[in-house]
Amino acid sequence: RRGQKNYSACFHTRRDSLATVDSHHHDIIRLAWSRHLGLDDSALRPDHRHTAVDPNATCVTFVRLGDSSALLGPKDALTAAEARTDEELSKRGALGELLKSTAGRTYGPTVLAFADEVGTTLDRHDPLISRELGHVLGLEALCAPDDVIAADLTRKRSWFTLLGDDRPADSAASLSAAAHLEWEGVLADVAVLTAPTARRQGNAQVVARLATNEAFDEGMIPQWRSSAENGTARRLAARLGYE
């Protein structure tokens, strides 16, 4: 409505446990997320919920990393959240309920996963890989807009696109692509996109493995974000060693 702020629960991400990740990596992940959210370096310290009021905010953001969390948004939403536990705020629809007097869309919950060692298997003999943006754009043209937006490959870098081997490289079809985006110099946010006709064939695993290993080579911790309801993406991450 004219004159009314349109609040939305725009980013909702959770991580139930980081117990299996090396403690040093755990500290780095907390630091990177604190900086990514524009908070003090110690905001996501253990056993603490950090709240940050932004009177101009048009969304609510909640991030949970093990036993630490951060909640950012307008004052009325943060006040409504005071009596809720991190577990309650991690559930689908919880952020929307904090702003039930306004219209908006809820995204999430999203599960965060991190890898702490290089994978040694590629599961594909001599794959045809392109590092060119043009093949990424060609792949995006084959995919649904929501999938393209979620992967956001063109804003990332270091693309790995698996091409079909039934034609010469200059005319080969793009099957699947992965890339990563550097966060705060220490995290590599990895994403993958696969053509509808090339799914469930192991193609995504090939390019995601290459992007993940390159992140390690550059001294970063690979990060994987996927919808809590996207079992396929979460199983793929698990096969790649993300926890």
Side-chain angles (χ1 to χ4, degrees), residues 1 4-5 7 76-77 95-104:
R1 297 176 184 175
Q4 176 180 313
K5 290 183 179 179
Y7 291 130
D76 55 346
L95 296 189
E97 291 176 5
L98 301 181
L99 297 169
K100 54 188 175 184
S101 62
T102 60

Side-chain angles (χ1 to χ4, degrees), residues 159-215:
W159 303 288
F160 293 89
T161 303
L162 178 64
L163 304 179
D165 58 5
D166 56 341
R167 331 181 193 169
D170 58 356
S171 61
S174 299
L175 304 179
S176 185
H180 64 75
L181 179 66
E182 181 180 308
W183 280 24
E184 310 305 326
V186 292
L187 292 185
D189 192 54
V190 177
V192 63
L193 180 68
T194 304
T197 58
R199 294 174 183 172
R200 300 184 184 277
Q201 300 171 27
N203 297 318
Q205 187 167 345
V206 172
V207 291
R209 168 64 70 204
L210 293 171
T212 297
N213 283 2
E214 182 174 87

Side-chain angles (χ1 to χ4, degrees), residues 10-11 105 107 110 136-137 139-156 177 179 181 183 189-194 199 225-227 230:
C10 69
F11 186 62
R105 180 180 178 184
Y107 298 87
T110 297
V136 176
L137 297 175
L139 174 63
E140 289 184 336
L142 303 174
C143 299
D146 284 350
D147 293 339
V148 173
I149 292 171
D152 198 15
L153 292 183
T154 54
R155 195 167 66 91
K156 294 178 171 61
L181 179 66
W183 280 24
D189 192 54
V190 177
V192 63
L193 180 68
T194 304
R199 294 174 183 172
R225 292 181 292 153
S226 56
S227 167
N230 190 339

Side-chain angles (χ1 to χ4, degrees), residues 71-158:
L71 183 65
L72 300 80
K75 184 176 181 180
D76 55 346
L78 270 58
T79 299
E82 288 178 353
R84 304 199 182 194
T85 66
D86 284 356
E87 183 66 32
E88 291 171 333
L89 290 176
S90 295
K91 295 179 179 178
R92 172 168 292 280
L95 296 189
E97 291 176 5
L98 301 181
L99 297 169
K100 54 188 175 184
S101 62
T102 60
R105 180 180 178 184
T106 299
Y107 298 87
T110 297
V111 176
L112 300 177
F114 303 90
D116 61 359
E117 61 182 8
V118 173
T120 58
T121 59
L122 193 58
D123 297 329
R124 187 70 58 89
H125 176 68
D126 196 22
L128 182 58
I129 299 294
S130 167
R131 306 299 302 273
E132 301 297 325
L133 175 59
H135 284 115
V136 176
L137 297 175
L139 174 63
E140 289 184 336
L142 303 174
C143 299
D146 284 350
D147 293 339
V148 173
I149 292 171
D152 198 15
L153 292 183
T154 54
R155 195 167 66 91
K156 294 178 171 61
R157 62 179 181 86
S158 298

